[in-house]
Amino acid sequence: MTAVLFDFSGTLFRVESTDSWLRGTLTDAGLRLAEAEFTAAARALEAVGALPGGGDPARVPEELAEAWVIRDRSAALHRAAYTGLSRQVTLPDPALHEALYDRHMSPAAWAPYPDAVEVLRTLRKRGIPVAVVSNIGWDLRPVFREHGLDPYVDAYVLSYEHGIQKPDPRLFATACEALGADPRRTLMVGDDRRADGGATALGCGVHFVDHLPVTDRPDGLLPVLELVG
């Protein structure tokens, strides 16, 4: 393998917990809930899957079903889908639903997996080009810059900027073209077997990692270094 494509959420980075997400948003808004109310709201938001990157909803409401399927094709669809899920939960101020969505896009809401820097730095030293290929509805570049990983990424191919979402092979093809890479000698690394597995249609190799909290997956990316170069 002479090039590597990485997924973002659950692969290189993991979003904060639902508790941290809600608490931070409340603090920024100058609001405070009693602990029992806070816990109930956090568990309810978790159950409906309102935190992007935090886990899929157990059930998508009928009125959101169409937008949910194609949510990563545009910024507007992504926001509408996730704020729609959030609004199933009653919060002390209706404006918090938009504020919650805004917070999840901030660099502070994300943490890189412990071995992400080492793996990306090593690939750069070996001269292996890297692209981030993500189903997403917002610009993740500031997250990479804030956490110091941007210097190791040669291209960002984001679904909402192309109107195409994984597993559509066209998104992976766009990434390979951006790197000048032969798909048959390119490795796709991700946590979603359906979405990221779409790269196999081009002949790419695929390596899967587990979508776990950062504290529970200290070295899940290290095997990538044995597969390339």
Side-chain angles (χ1 to χ4, degrees), residues 5-24:
L5 314 179
F6 285 98
D7 175 49
F8 168 56
S9 175
T11 300
L12 290 175
F13 282 83
R14 171 72 186 239
V15 74
E16 65 186 335
S17 68
T18 305
D19 284 22
S20 175
W21 178 53
L22 176 58
R23 197 177 299 279

Side-chain angles (χ1 to χ4, degrees), residues 88-157:
Q88 295 179 86
V89 178
T90 299
L91 296 174
D93 183 345
L96 285 170
H97 298 290
E98 295 290 340
L100 282 167
Y101 185 85
D102 290 340
R103 177 178 172 86
H104 106 275
M105 296 187 290
S106 69
W110 296 87
Y113 281 93
D115 54 349
V117 173
E118 177 184 351
V119 169
L120 291 175
R121 182 188 295 128
T122 301
L123 292 174
R124 175 52 55 94
K125 288 180 179 177
R126 293 182 184 177
I128 304 294
V130 165
V132 172
V133 186
S134 178
N135 277 354
I136 199 166
W138 49 277
D139 186 4
L140 51 72
R141 294 171 183 87
V143 176
F144 280 77
R145 288 196 293 267
E146 180 69 21
H147 291 279
L149 272 64
D150 180 66
Y152 308 117
V153 178
D154 299 285
Y156 295 92
V157 179

